[in-house]
Amino acid sequence: EMKSNYELCLSGHRCILVPYRPEHLPNYHEWMQDPHLLEATASEPLSMEEEIEMQKEWMEDERKCTFIILARDLILIVTEQNDAKDPIQIDGKKENAEGGEGNRALDIEDIPPPPHLIDENGDTGIIAGTKKSYPNLTEMTTHAMIGDINLFLSEEESEYDSDGALQQHHQIHHYFHNSHPGDRNRNLLRICDDFNNSSDGNSKATSKPKLTQAELDIMIAKPSHRHKNLGTELCLQIMHYGASNLHIRRYFVKIHESNTSSLKLFRDKLGFVHCAYAECF
């Protein structure tokens, strides 16, 4: 949840997810003035004052889990050669650490390593001296923002007990860590569907615990980072986190029928199944 996860970042192969903080507001507000993004996200334009108030409300809301997406290829890194700054591409233009406020460079140890550099115990010893706390990450990476991804948590009634929930958790964990990357989404959705429709001996008519579900919402605001299959990676990343850490058992999305990119992502790539239609949405 947002309040309890406000100090958490999720490290992926090509992106890093960081909590939505006040430092992100100027860029986020600029994004949400774009008519295309407003239509795609079914949002209304807000004033900066309204955005500030909403960020504060979401920070305190335990049912909202909101992350800003940072692109690794946009993060400036100090190199070993005379502390030079690696150039980066921002919307097709080469820039460096002197490119403006917020474009300062970070040491490699100030950036969370990608998953393949973290061992099974969570240690990052493969990179000498790597830290597990990154106090400068938010302040010095606002230029690397490319979008946001969110989980809006709610409760659902279930037909199975906590033993079934534990079994599902172990199966999700197994598939994410042992299956081929291309099969993970299909396996995850199959598991969730199997358990949500279970009618075996694990069901208890007298005990129906409320279990967590989440609406998943993603926006790639930077045109330079669309159509690069980032959406698939990011959704699997946050779904894995939600299933493993927040005990989320069911994910759903709301997509406008004209949003073909999102339909392709969730229906064709992630295997989501159409379950309802609201003409007024």
Side-chain angles (χ1 to χ4, degrees), residues 75-88:
I75 297 177
L76 293 167
I77 299 174
V78 177
T79 65
E80 295 179 357
Q81 299 177 349
N82 301 320
D83 289 339
K85 282 75 178 176
D86 287 339
I88 58 173

Side-chain angles (χ1 to χ4, degrees), residues 140-154:
M140 299 181 69
T141 56
T142 56
H143 64 280
M145 293 170 57
I146 63 168
D148 71 336
I149 187 166
N150 315 304
L151 295 176
F152 303 116
L153 279 59
S154 58

